[in-house]
Amino acid sequence: MLNFYKLHLGENARDKFAEQALKNQYWESFYVLPSTVVMQEVRQKNNIRVGNFDTLVKEIIELFSTAIKPPISSFAREVLIKRCAVELFETGKIEYFAKVHQNNFFVKNLASLFAELMSMQISAQDFLLIVDNLQEEQLGAKQSKKYQELACIYLAYYDKLFELGERDIYLYYILAERLLLSLDEQAIAQDFLTWKNIYVSDFYNFNKLELAIIRRLSKLTQVHIAVTYETAREEVF
């Protein structure tokens, strides 16, 4: 069940959620927070399980199998993306980004872009199709080349992950959602999931994959979410 709490600007639900979590056994609750600073603040005051969304997703997968290889780190992601950009440059497929293809700042921006695309469940093939459908006369020759090369690097990164047998964290989210879908009865989930209550707060919004995980978990256990309410704000759910 999904329990939704609307907060006024400036309020937070940390003390309320922590107090509720303390009423359960340590392993029966999980508190999801967006940043290390906020997680440390809650941990210092309370002996409860705290983590970010990535941690929650990893623990979901570990419930099904500890043999599933963990996702690559953010550092490893940047190393792979840089390797892909270099290989494409060496084969003459990078021209627009030729001067910056090894620049660390450029690579970090690529990593952020690819993470955003994956969080929206836009695969490399989808992105390539979108770019192919953009008309050069709409973008101009330079912009068209720019997006083609971005799509090329994204596809090369996808292929490199497959070649190495690795998963990006956002592909891990998709796997976690699919595994949760296999628990099609709440009774089964209650015996399988260790969490009786999952608490989520301090997020301003959620990406598509986070929403999918929240919605699926809410069918299987109690999920409590606190979001700051603003009059002109779009719906979160």
Side-chain angles (χ1 to χ4, degrees), residues 13-79:
R14 290 171 221 150
D15 290 341
K16 178 183 179 67
F17 280 178
E19 182 181 348
Q20 290 180 12
L22 285 168
K23 294 177 182 178
N24 300 311
Q25 297 290 338
Y26 179 78
W27 60 85
E28 290 178 338
S29 297
F30 193 97
Y31 194 170
V32 185
L33 291 159
S35 71
T36 302
V37 173
V38 179
M39 285 189 284
Q40 287 177 343
E41 178 188 317
V42 173
R43 282 197 189 104
Q44 287 172 356
K45 295 180 180 178
N46 310 278
N47 183 30
I48 58 176
R49 296 184 69 203
V50 177
N52 57 21
F53 248 108
D54 290 356
T55 306
L56 175 66
V57 167
K58 290 173 187 175
E59 293 204 14
I60 289 169
I61 290 176
E62 286 174 1
L63 288 172
F64 288 83
S65 174
T66 55
I68 297 174
K69 197 174 182 179
I72 62 171
S73 66
S74 57
F75 175 75
R77 179 194 295 132
E78 291 176 15
V79 169

Side-chain angles (χ1 to χ4, degrees), residues 133-147:
N133 287 332
L134 290 172
Q135 298 298 317
E136 186 173 305
E137 51 268 26
Q138 290 177 302
L139 296 172
K142 284 187 177 181
Q143 287 298 306
S144 179
K145 184 66 175 173
K146 171 184 174 181
Y147 285 109

Side-chain angles (χ1 to χ4, degrees), residues 45-236:
K45 295 180 180 178
N46 310 278
N47 183 30
I48 58 176
R49 296 184 69 203
V50 177
N52 57 21
F53 248 108
D54 290 356
T55 306
L56 175 66
V57 167
K58 290 173 187 175
E59 293 204 14
I60 289 169
I61 290 176
E62 286 174 1
L63 288 172
F64 288 83
S65 174
T66 55
I68 297 174
K69 197 174 182 179
I72 62 171
S73 66
S74 57
F75 175 75
R77 179 194 295 132
E78 291 176 15
V79 169
L80 281 183
I81 290 172
K82 188 172 185 177
R83 187 188 303 174
C84 291
V86 169
E87 289 175 358
L88 289 169
F89 174 76
E90 290 174 347
T91 55
K93 296 178 181 177
I94 296 291
E95 296 177 5
Y96 183 90
F97 293 112
K99 292 182 179 179
V100 297
H101 74 282
Q102 293 193 70
N103 182 277
N104 289 334
F105 185 70
F106 171 67
V107 172
K108 286 182 181 295
N109 281 338
L110 283 181
S112 296
L113 171 63
F114 297 167
E116 184 67 22
L117 291 170
M118 287 183 183
S119 73
M120 296 167 65
Q121 293 185 290
I122 299 174
S123 70
Q125 291 79 7
D126 292 335
F127 188 57
L128 191 60
L129 183 62
I130 292 168
V131 171
D132 285 344
N133 287 332
L134 290 172
Q135 298 298 317
E136 186 173 305
E137 51 268 26
Q138 290 177 302
L139 296 172
K142 284 187 177 181
Q143 287 298 306
S144 179
K145 184 66 175 173
K146 171 184 174 181
Y147 285 109
Q148 286 172 2
E149 291 185 8
L150 288 173
C152 196
I153 299 171
Y154 188 29
L155 183 59
Y157 173 60
Y158 241 76
D159 289 343
K160 187 69 73 176
L161 286 172
F162 182 77
E163 175 190 325
L164 297 173
E166 301 284 0
R167 278 194 179 93
D168 191 283
I169 184 62
Y170 290 105
L171 299 179
Y172 225 58
Y173 275 66
I174 295 170
L175 174 61
E177 183 195 3
R178 289 174 180 171
L179 291 172
L180 288 174
L181 285 169
S182 69
L183 300 176
D184 54 359
E185 294 182 20
Q186 190 170 7
I188 296 174
Q190 286 174 347
D191 292 333
F192 192 79
L193 295 177
T194 60
W195 310 303
K196 290 184 178 179
N197 292 279
I198 296 173
Y199 303 92
V200 184
S201 77
D202 291 79
F203 288 81
Y204 186 74
N205 53 32
F206 302 96
N207 65 43
K208 190 175 180 179
L209 291 176
E210 290 167 345
L211 283 174
I213 296 293
I214 288 171
R215 285 172 176 150
R216 187 57 199 157
L217 282 171
S218 71
K219 303 292 184 184
L220 305 172
T221 190
Q222 296 289 326
V223 178
H224 312 266
I225 300 181
V227 177
T228 301
Y229 173 76
E230 295 176 30
T231 306
R233 188 176 172 194
E234 294 180 2
E235 291 291 334
V236 177

